């Protein structure tokens, strides 16, 4: 909602902006009138920004109930199309994927993601294709993910030992903090080659960047107001950018120095794992994709941007998914008992879960799907942008329109999931093997779909499923004294990823026989 200060500025610039909008409307009318998707009537200057609320996915869901699954809003100067049904999502992310494969420019990505030189926020084109290919080949391929198994095992075992000590002492555990740490450790070892002593600082910067990246920033929609920084976001983004650049520069310098020390020696002799950052540094000053006639030479800024993409994507998303799943299991003891029964039957009570066991845990797969349905990590997929004019379902979608897919609304639509849509009921997925979270069934899109679908999906799922399986197999969990399951706080914190507003606390009891 606009603040009083913002309202004053809106009045000051309202006349000027209205004149500009009228002139644009007149020019558009002179071509010929096109039918836009239905939507609310916009206010001068701000359009429908005031309708988004502090949790935009919920505000947009309410509007979609009135205006339909393909809805248009004038957000400041930006025509935004909101997609809120599986059928509509398929039209935008599959049928017409080539038209909507680009990204809009946002102030957050310009400041904090090195002018979109990474992958997640880059406009569609040869550079984006080259970065995606590079990341997939050297970090996100199936063979690479399998090769990281021992690293995951070490960090998860360390977490289990800490939990055993907490169980003996009958301590309440901050699950949000614990899970965040183990995922950050795993990600650091894979991407940076080792766990860092300053990981808390890096995690804090990533959290701030994701929060700012998902914020409704007036400057993105009414550029004339950007200079006033009415919400204070620009100052915060600049501060994060400076501190993040220092952190990434420090990481790169350390690895450059280590590379010199290890020249002509075997990393294994030093107990070190070669991380993704080392691969990127070995490619510096070389063509990113020599086969592309517009090939780009990898420089230091590219490396920082790519690292930031990989770090921010891996740190928060898996931890958030685990956090929400455990929250729902604590609220639904029947589901937890069923899942632990499967673990006891498949794994046995005399050993821990191994990564090779995950494929045999069918009920775990159902639980994770149900958690993603109710609590998608990204409730609104990263915005797409149309690269040309197009007509969909009789509606005109102009070039440069911003496209928002509300996966949160799709997951809670009773027309899609039946009337018990608010209930955590994993069995709804029984017999629905085609809903595999890979973006091929548009009822469930936790990783997006099409060209801009998340290339780290497989790595993310392995982390989520393995940590959950291990925590639930090794321990029983109960809420702290005085907290009832039905009263457990489930408030959300909106950003590029949507975590819990408050940390999840629980008390473990060791349940294995060794």
């Amino acid at each position: 909602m606009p603040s009083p200060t913002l309202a004053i500025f809106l009045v000051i610039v309202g006349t000027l902006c209205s004149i500009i909008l009228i002139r644009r409307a007149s020019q558009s009318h002179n071509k010929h009138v096109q039918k836009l998707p239905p939507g609310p009537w916009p206010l001068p200057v701000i359009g429908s920004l005031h309708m988004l609320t502090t949790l935009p996915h919920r505000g947009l869901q309410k509007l979609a109930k009135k205006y339909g699954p393909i809805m248009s809003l004038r957000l400041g100067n930006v025509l935004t199309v909101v997609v809120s049904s599986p059928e509509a999502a398929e039209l935008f992310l599959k049928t017409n994927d080539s038209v909507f494969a680009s990204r809009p420019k946002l102030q957050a990505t310009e400041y904090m993601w090195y002018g979109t030189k990474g992958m997640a926020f880059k406009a569609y084109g040869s550079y984006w294709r080259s970065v995606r290919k590079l990341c997939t080949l050297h970090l996100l391929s199936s063979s690479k993910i399998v090769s990281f198994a021992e690293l995951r095992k070490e960090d998860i075992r360390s977490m289990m030992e800490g939990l055993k000590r907490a169980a003996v002492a009958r301590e309440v555990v901050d699950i949000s903090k614990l899970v965040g740490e183990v995922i950050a450790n795993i990600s650091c070892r894979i991407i940076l080659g080792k766990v860092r002593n300053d990981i808390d600082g890096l995690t804090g910067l990533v959290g701030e960047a994701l929060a700012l990246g998902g914020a409704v920033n007036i400057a993105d929609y009414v550029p004339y107001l950007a200079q006033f920084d009415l919400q204070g976001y620009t100052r915060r983004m600049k501060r994060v950018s400076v501190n993040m650049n220092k952190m990434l520069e420090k990481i790169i310098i350390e690895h450059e120095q280590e590379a010199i020390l290890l020249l002509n020696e075997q990393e294994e002799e030093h107990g070190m794992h070669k991380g993704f950052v080392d691969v990127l540094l070995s490619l510096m000053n070389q063509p990113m994709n020599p086969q592309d006639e517009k090939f780009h030479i990898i420089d230091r800024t590219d490396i920082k941007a790519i690292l930031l993409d990989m770090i921010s994507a891996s740190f928060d998303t898996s931890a958030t998914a685990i956090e929400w799943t455990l929250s729902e299991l604590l609220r639904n003891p029947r589901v937890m008992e069923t899942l632990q029964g499967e673990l006891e039957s498949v794994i046995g009570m005399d050993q821990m879960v191994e990564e090779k066991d995950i494929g045999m845990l069918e009920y775990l797969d159902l639980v994770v799907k149900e958690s993603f349905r109710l609590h998608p990590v990204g409730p609104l997929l990263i915005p797409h942008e149309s690269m040309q004019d197009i007509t969909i379902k009789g509606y005109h979608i102009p070039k440069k329109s911003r496209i928002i897919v509300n996966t949160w609304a799709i997951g809670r639509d009773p027309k899609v999931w039946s009337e018990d849509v608010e209930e955590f009921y994993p069995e709804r997925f029984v017999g629905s093997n085609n809903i595999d979270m890979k973006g091929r069934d548009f009822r469930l899109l936790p990783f997006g779909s099409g060209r801009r679908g998340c290339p780290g999906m497989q790595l993310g799922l392995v982390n989520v499923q393995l940590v959950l399986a291990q925590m639930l197999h090794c321990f029983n969990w109960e809420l702290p004294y005085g907290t009832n399951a039905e009263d457990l706080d489930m408030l959300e914190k909106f950003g590029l990823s949507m975590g819990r507003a408050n940390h999840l606390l629980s008390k473990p009891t060791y349940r294995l026989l060794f």
Side-chain angles (χ1 to χ4, degrees):
M1 295 290 286
S3 65
T5 306
L6 174 58
I8 293 171
F9 277 106
L10 293 180
V11 172
I12 294 173
V13 301
T15 303
L16 175 60
C17 292
S18 296
I19 292 172
I20 293 171
L21 291 173
I22 290 169
R23 288 183 62 187
R24 287 181 178 174
S26 177
Q27 291 169 357
S28 175
H29 182 76
N30 289 339
K31 295 177 182 178
H32 62 267
V33 177
Q34 299 274 17
K35 182 184 178 183
L36 296 174
W41 187 260
L43 296 177
V45 184
I46 64 169
S48 299
L49 279 171
H50 62 295
M51 295 183 172
L52 296 187
T53 73
T54 55
L55 296 172
H57 54 291
R58 291 179 178 268
L60 292 173
Q61 182 205 37
K62 291 179 181 178
L63 288 172
K65 288 179 179 179
K66 180 177 181 180
Y67 295 104
I70 302 178
M71 169 180 65
S72 67
L73 294 89
R74 178 67 65 176
L75 300 180
N77 297 347
V78 180
L79 178 64
T80 303
V81 177
V82 181
V83 176
S84 305
S85 75
E87 297 77 16
E90 184 171 1
L91 288 173
F92 284 84
L93 302 181
K94 180 181 178 182
T95 308
N96 298 289
D97 182 26
S98 61
V99 176
F100 300 106
S102 200
R103 298 286 196 211
K105 277 192 174 184
L106 303 173
Q107 192 182 56
T109 57
E110 289 297 309
Y111 277 117
M112 296 186 297
W113 271 269
Y114 296 92
T116 65
K117 296 194 76 174
M119 176 172 59
F121 306 102
K122 184 67 179 175
Y124 185 74
S126 60
Y127 179 87
W128 172 81
R129 287 192 295 269
S130 296
V131 174
R132 184 181 174 98
K133 182 178 180 180
L134 185 152
C135 293
T136 301
L137 178 64
H138 295 291
L139 181 66
L140 304 173
S141 66
S142 297
S143 60
K144 285 290 181 182
I145 292 169
V146 170
S147 73
F148 301 142
E150 194 61 32
L151 301 181
R152 282 188 289 272
K153 184 176 181 179
E154 290 176 14
D155 284 312
I156 293 174
R157 277 190 176 274
S158 177
M159 179 180 73
M160 293 300 109
E161 290 302 318
L163 283 173
K164 284 177 72 173
R165 291 191 292 272
V168 170
R170 299 297 293 162
E171 294 176 348
V172 174
V173 173
D174 185 335
I175 289 181
S176 299
K177 184 174 184 292
L178 181 76
V179 169
E181 287 174 350
V182 72
I183 293 297
N185 287 341
I186 292 171
S187 299
C188 271
R189 279 151 66 85
I190 291 171
I191 299 169
L192 306 179
K194 60 183 178 181
V195 176
R196 298 188 59 83
N197 294 328
D198 54 3
I199 193 168
D200 288 342
L202 184 56
T203 302
L205 286 171
V206 167
E208 177 79 347
L210 292 173
L212 289 168
V216 179
N217 185 358
I218 298 294
D220 288 329
Y221 300 100
V222 190
Y224 321 108
L225 298 179
Q227 59 186 312
F228 301 112
D229 191 19
L230 301 176
Q231 299 158 288
Y233 290 157
T234 304
R235 292 188 294 277
R236 290 170 61 187
M237 289 175 194
K238 288 180 178 178
R239 184 169 62 249
V240 170
S241 178
V242 169
N243 292 332
M244 184 68 78
N245 187 66
K246 287 179 181 177
M247 179 75 75
L248 293 172
E249 185 64 29
K250 178 183 176 183
I251 289 169
I252 289 173
I253 290 172
E254 288 176 2
H255 281 263
E256 288 175 330
Q257 292 172 342
E258 288 169 358
I260 294 172
L261 291 173
L262 295 175
L263 192 63
N264 298 322
E265 297 182 26
Q266 295 293 321
E267 287 98 336
E268 288 77 10
E269 294 178 5
H270 296 263
M272 295 180 65
H273 159 69
K274 190 174 182 179
F276 182 55
V277 61
D278 300 295
V279 175
L280 292 177
L281 288 172
S282 72
L283 298 173
M284 191 159 64
N285 300 322
Q286 297 181 33
M288 190 172 290
N289 184 3
Q291 285 73 42
D292 194 325
E293 59 183 26
K294 297 181 180 178
F295 66 79
H296 179 88
I297 302 297
I298 301 177
D299 62 23
R300 205 175 189 85
T301 303
D302 297 327
I303 291 175
K304 292 177 188 176
I306 294 167
L307 284 177
L308 180 54
D309 257 11
M310 297 301 104
I311 291 169
S312 57
S314 61
F315 271 30
D316 204 61
T317 51
S318 295
T320 297
I322 295 167
E323 187 182 40
W324 280 122
T325 306
L326 288 170
S327 299
E328 287 291 359
L329 290 172
L330 285 166
R331 295 176 74 214
N332 295 274
R334 177 197 68 82
V335 178
M336 185 182 289
E337 290 172 11
T338 304
L339 178 52
Q340 288 183 320
E342 178 182 68
L343 287 161
E344 183 173 345
S345 173
V346 174
I347 310 300
M349 300 301 288
D350 57 349
Q351 60 183 338
M352 294 174 67
V353 180
E354 297 291 336
E355 202 158 309
K356 61 180 174 59
D357 301 324
I358 296 298
M360 297 185 289
L361 300 172
E362 296 179 2
Y363 195 71
L364 173 66
D365 182 62
L366 304 183
V367 167
V368 171
K369 286 178 180 177
E370 181 71 340
S371 180
F372 276 131
R373 178 187 72 82
L374 279 174
H375 307 283
V377 174
L380 305 177
L381 297 183
I382 297 175
H384 293 240
E385 185 176 79
S386 57
M387 294 187 285
Q388 65 186 55
D389 291 356
I390 188 173
T391 300
I392 293 181
K393 299 287 284 187
Y395 299 126
H396 175 62
I397 314 293
K399 182 178 179 180
K400 290 289 184 182
S401 296
R402 196 165 297 178
I403 313 301
I404 294 175
V405 180
N406 192 343
T407 59
W408 188 89
I410 293 172
R412 292 174 183 255
D413 186 346
K415 296 177 182 177
V416 177
W417 300 103
S418 78
E419 292 301 323
D420 65 349
V421 68
E422 297 292 334
E423 181 183 348
F424 189 79
Y425 183 66
E427 286 81 359
R428 74 176 73 247
F429 287 98
V430 172
S432 299
N433 295 328
N434 57 316
I435 306 181
D436 58 6
M437 297 186 284
K438 295 181 179 179
R440 292 180 292 207
D441 189 298
F442 293 85
R443 289 173 288 179
L444 191 65
L445 296 170
F447 300 98
S449 183
R451 286 171 172 84
R452 301 311 291 243
C454 177
M457 174 189 64
Q458 186 179 349
L459 179 59
L461 278 176
V462 168
N463 287 340
V464 169
Q465 292 173 327
L466 186 58
V467 171
L468 278 171
Q470 209 69 274
M471 291 181 73
L472 292 163
H473 185 49
C474 295
F475 299 93
N476 290 317
W477 295 91
E478 59 183 291
L479 290 167
Y481 180 76
T483 304
N484 296 319
E486 57 270 21
D487 298 327
L488 179 62
D489 164 27
M490 298 292 279
L491 297 175
E492 303 158 338
K493 177 179 64 179
F494 186 80
L496 280 177
S497 66
M498 183 185 68
R500 290 177 54 88
N502 301 301
H503 281 206
L504 177 65
L505 306 178
S506 186
K507 188 163 60 175
T509 304
Y510 192 65
R511 65 190 294 265
L512 296 187
L513 301 178
F514 69 95

